[in-house]
């Protein structure tokens, strides 16, 4: 008897590329993405960081197939089973996948971490990935990626609300800022995600509460530690009158070394990723988290006082958008709600977040993957927020045995 397979879902453009691949893997649907930067005169098709994410996806899955056109403007992705670190031949559950990011990468390591965290709860085995290589950037970037510190303190704790909280750790082994021309950094980060669930819990989050504390990390890489003190002092000057419970940790580290072979010295190395930055996270009385990230530009010329003030104002702006979820965490929350049990979950978000281009694109993509549409209604209070109702698909973790 012949089996009929579903036709591939046809999508266009490079926006939301990683989330399209993630939802394709979770739902098991083949996707066909075309028109990936077709009009770029210098770099048409897939960028280096997108190809690197495809390699990471291939490492944590078993049976995935990828067909890329000669120009790189078309890709067909057939997902496999999410097996985690036990996907390799002879690999055990305690092994670690070593993923090397190339030197020309302009995206922060959070570009890879956040989608990987969305896949990890549905894996057959724990996911342990070590991000290394000359392209690892642990700080925030001008392309919109948050720092590793914000992922650790503002993204990973959100999994608690879905019943995912055991053996989750993000270790920063070596820090780095943006390298010359905003490319590469030479850092090293390890993600350990050992809590796999059958189905995430249904979420009802409709009370933002009031901000009760602010925590942060000021980091300096290969530069004077006084930069941290100056950033912290300026930032506290803005936040202390509003939130007295403000504590910012100072982290000073040396600059990482990356290979720079020369004709006379093939084993030569150079320092890269020098700079400083600040990560802030505000926590409300109901457990809602809001984050802000600012790092110095690779060209320099910006004093630490400006970084501290800019980050403090950015945090206040994120809080002022309202709702119970920050813009950076919106895809994670909606993704877990969509993949959860077949029940209606609700979450309150600000109008600016639901009206953002990326949020609308996320809703359209989820509709393509067969998820029901969102229900929207006013919160009915003075906050002027919107309550989104999401019906779970009940897909869950096909690799996990039922206890």
């Amino acid at each position: 008897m012949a089996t009929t397979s579903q036709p591939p879902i046809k999508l266009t453009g490079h926006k939301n590329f990683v989330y399209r691949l993630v939802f394709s893997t979770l739902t098991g649907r083949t996707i066909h993405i075309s028109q990936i930067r077709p009009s770029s005169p210098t770099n048409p098709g897939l960028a280096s960081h997108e190809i690197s994410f495809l390699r990471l996806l291939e490492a944590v899955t078993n049976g995935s197939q990828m067909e890329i056109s000669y120009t790189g403007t078309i890709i067909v992705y057939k997902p496999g089973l999410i097996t985690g670190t036990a996907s390799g031949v002879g690999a055990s559950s305690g092994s670690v996948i070593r993923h090397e990011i190339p030197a020309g990468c302009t995206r922060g390591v959070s570009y890879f971490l956040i989608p990987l965290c969305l896949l990890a709860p549905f894996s057959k085995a724990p996911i342990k990935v070590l991000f290394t290589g000359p392209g690892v950037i642990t700080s925030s970037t001008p392309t919109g990626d948050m720092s590793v510190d914000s992922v650790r303190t503002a993204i990973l704790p959100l999994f608690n609300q879905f019943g995912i909280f055991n053996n989750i750790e993000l270790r920063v082994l070596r820090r780095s800022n943006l390298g010359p021309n905003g490319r590469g950094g030479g850092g090293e980060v390890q993600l350990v995600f050992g809590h796999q669930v059958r189905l995430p819990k249904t979420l009802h989050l409709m009370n933002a509460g009031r901000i009760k504390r602010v925590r942060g990390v000021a980091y300096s890489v290969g530069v004077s530690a006084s930069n941290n003190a100056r950033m912290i002092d300026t930032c506290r000057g803005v936040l202390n009158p509003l939130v007295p419970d403000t504590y910012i940790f100072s982290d000073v580290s040396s600059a990482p070394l990356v290979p720079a072979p020369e004709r006379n010295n093939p084993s030569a190395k150079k320092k890269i990723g020098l700079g400083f930055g600040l990560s802030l996270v505000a926590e409300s009385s109901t457990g809602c988290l809001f984050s802000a990230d600012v790092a110095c530009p690779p060209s320099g010329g910006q004093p630490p006082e400006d970084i501290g003030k800019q980050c403090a104002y950015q945090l206040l702006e994120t809080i002022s958008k309202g709702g119970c979820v920050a813009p950076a965490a919106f895809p994670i929350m909606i993704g877990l709600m969509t993949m959860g049990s077949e029940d209606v979950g609700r979450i309150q978000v600000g109008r600016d977040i639901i009206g953002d281009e990326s949020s609308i694109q996320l809703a359209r993509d989820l509709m393509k993957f067969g998820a029901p549409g969102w229900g929207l209604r006013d919160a009915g209070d003075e906050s002027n927020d919107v309550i989104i109702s999401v019906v779970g698909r009940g897909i869950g973790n096909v690799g996990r045995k039922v206890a």
Side-chain angles (χ1 to χ4, degrees):
M1 180 178 176
T3 58
T4 57
S5 60
Q6 292 179 307
I9 299 172
K10 295 192 175 182
L11 303 164
T12 58
H14 66 279
K15 294 185 177 179
N16 278 23
F17 180 75
V18 292
Y19 288 111
R20 288 172 171 177
L21 293 173
V22 166
F23 291 127
S24 170
T25 307
L26 290 174
T27 58
R29 292 292 304 273
T30 302
I31 59 172
H32 176 281
I33 306 177
S34 59
Q35 300 180 26
I36 303 174
R37 302 184 184 90
S39 58
S40 175
T42 54
N43 297 307
L46 294 169
S48 61
H49 55 270
E50 292 167 343
I51 295 174
S52 182
F53 183 78
L54 286 171
R55 289 194 297 107
L56 175 63
L57 204 57
E58 189 177 22
V60 297
T61 59
N62 186 19
S64 297
Q65 300 177 19
M66 305 167 192
E67 300 173 8
I68 304 174
S69 67
Y70 181 75
T71 57
T73 56
I74 301 174
I75 178 175
V76 178
Y77 172 67
K78 299 177 183 178
L81 182 67
I82 311 170
T83 51
T85 52
S87 59
V89 178
S92 63
S93 60
S95 60
V96 178
I97 295 174
R98 186 181 179 93
H99 183 69
E100 187 163 336
I101 300 178
C105 184
T106 57
R107 303 298 298 260
V109 72
S110 61
Y111 174 85
F112 306 90
L113 283 171
I114 295 177
L116 185 61
C117 289
L118 186 53
L119 284 173
F122 305 95
S123 173
K124 183 178 181 180
I127 284 184
K128 301 176 184 178
V129 180
L130 176 66
F131 293 91
T132 184
V136 179
I137 304 168
T138 64
S139 69
S140 58
T141 63
T143 51
D145 300 312
M146 59 168 47
S147 68
V148 172
D149 300 287
S150 292
V151 175
R152 180 171 50 84
T153 56
I155 299 295
L156 294 183
L158 297 175
F159 286 86
N160 293 347
Q161 304 186 33
F162 296 93
I164 307 167
F165 48 83
N166 288 332
N167 196 18
I168 301 175
E169 190 176 356
L170 184 58
R171 305 165 185 162
V172 186
L173 305 179
R174 190 163 60 221
R175 289 188 177 273
S176 66
N177 276 50
L178 288 165
N181 301 318
R183 296 178 179 274
E188 197 167 303
V189 176
Q190 184 176 7
L191 173 68
V192 177
F193 206 112
H195 192 173
Q196 280 66 46
V197 294
R198 184 66 182 173
L199 283 171
K201 290 182 178 178
T202 304
L203 179 68
H204 297 279
L205 189 59
M206 294 182 290
N207 183 10
R210 300 178 69 87
I211 302 300
K212 64 177 182 179
R213 68 166 68 96
V214 175
R215 296 292 182 264
V217 177
Y219 49 89
S220 293
V221 181
V223 294
S224 173
S226 63
N227 292 305
N228 282 0
R230 293 162 65 183
M231 283 189 294
I232 293 172
D233 185 61
T234 309
C235 180
R236 289 179 65 93
V238 176
L239 296 178
N240 270 7
L242 305 172
V243 187
D245 187 4
T246 300
Y247 180 79
I248 302 174
F249 177 74
S250 177
D251 189 354
V252 182
S253 59
S254 57
L257 294 171
V258 297
E262 300 173 355
R263 179 178 298 179
N264 300 329
N265 187 7
S267 60
K269 295 184 178 181
K270 66 176 181 179
K271 287 186 177 181
I272 193 174
L274 282 74
F276 50 86
L278 183 61
S279 164
L280 294 175
V281 175
E283 183 183 353
S284 74
S285 55
T286 56
C288 301
L289 300 172
F290 305 90
S291 62
D293 266 302
V294 179
C296 68
S299 57
Q302 194 166 4
E305 288 81 4
D306 289 357
I307 298 292
K309 185 179 294 186
Q310 184 180 345
C311 193
Y313 286 138
Q314 189 183 108
L315 180 66
L316 297 177
E317 183 182 1
T318 303
I319 296 171
S320 69
K321 291 182 179 180
C324 301
V325 60
F330 183 75
I332 286 279
M333 302 290 278
I334 292 294
L336 289 173
M337 291 171 71
T338 303
M339 296 300 134
S341 57
E342 298 181 21
D343 196 1
V344 180
R346 298 175 180 85
I347 187 170
Q348 183 170 323
V349 300
R351 289 183 182 272
D352 291 341
I353 298 175
I354 190 64
D356 188 69
E357 180 185 354
S358 60
S359 301
I360 296 173
Q361 187 62 54
L362 180 66
R364 290 172 176 168
D365 289 345
L366 286 173
M367 289 280 287
K368 289 282 187 72
F369 286 104
W374 299 345
L376 305 178
R377 63 180 175 88
D378 289 330
D381 53 17
E382 67 278 0
S383 63
N384 201 28
D385 291 340
V386 177
I387 292 179
I388 303 178
S389 300
V390 180
V391 181
R393 289 201 57 190
I395 293 176
N397 190 346
V398 297
R400 181 180 170 86
K401 296 179 181 179
V402 180

